[in-house]
Amino acid sequence: MPADERAIELTEVAALAAATLKAEEIIALDVSERLVLTDVFVVASGSSERQVRSIVDAVEEALADHGAKPVRREGVAEARWVLLDFGDIVVHIQHAEDRVYYALERLWKDCPVIELPEEVRAGAQGDGAGQA
């Protein structure tokens, strides 16, 4: 059973919040067929620990406005790989170097990619050109 409407809604909110802070390579994977604990992984990168923390704050604030609070937060102090567990979705915000090393997309490559809003896809390219 694919991710439900609420998970997709929260995914889009989280991705848009990350995009506003210039997060890079934002993707969303529907892991609902593989995991019972969550429906979606949102993965985004920041180029510095400061940016990672800022993205974390923006995502938490945006999701709180939609009634979602994290049930677990890990890695915030180090800001290299922050995991925010909102139940329906888990947001991974990684320092760009760590993202390359751990390659979550490769580990979960069999999971369907969730199409994100155009604003996210345009910003995720890093050039702001708006191409999908």
Side-chain angles (χ1 to χ4, degrees):
M1 185 159 120
D4 65 20
E5 287 182 34
R6 176 70 173 157
I8 299 297
E9 175 190 357
L10 294 178
T11 296
E12 291 177 356
V13 168
L16 284 166
T20 63
L21 272 287
K22 307 245 188 266
E24 298 173 349
E25 299 182 57
I26 304 166
I27 64 159
L29 302 171
D30 184 337
V31 296
S32 60
E33 298 289 326
R34 304 271 192 265
L35 294 174
V36 295
L37 301 174
T38 193
D39 286 343
V40 177
F41 278 173
V42 177
V43 184
S45 300
S47 59
S48 68
E49 287 84 357
R50 173 179 267 168
Q51 185 185 19
V52 168
R53 282 189 195 97
S54 295
I55 295 166
V56 167
D57 291 344
V59 168
E60 286 184 319
E61 184 176 320
L63 289 176
D65 290 346
H66 283 78
K69 295 187 179 176
V71 293
R72 188 174 58 174
R73 303 168 81 228
E74 294 183 15
V76 177
E78 299 83 12
R80 297 292 298 183
W81 180 351
V82 178
L83 181 144
L84 302 171
D85 182 352
F86 291 91
D88 292 332
I89 71 169
V90 173
V91 181
H92 299 269
I93 304 167
Q94 297 177 297
H95 192 285
E97 294 170 1
D98 292 1
R99 175 126 180 221
V100 170
Y101 182 79
Y102 290 104
L104 289 178
E105 298 92 330
R106 191 175 65 234
L107 292 173
W108 296 96
K109 68 182 176 197
D110 294 336
C111 296
V113 174
I114 296 171
E115 187 163 335
L116 296 171
E118 176 62 29
E119 305 92 315
V120 174
R121 290 180 282 141
Q125 291 180 13
D127 62 4
Q131 301 170 347

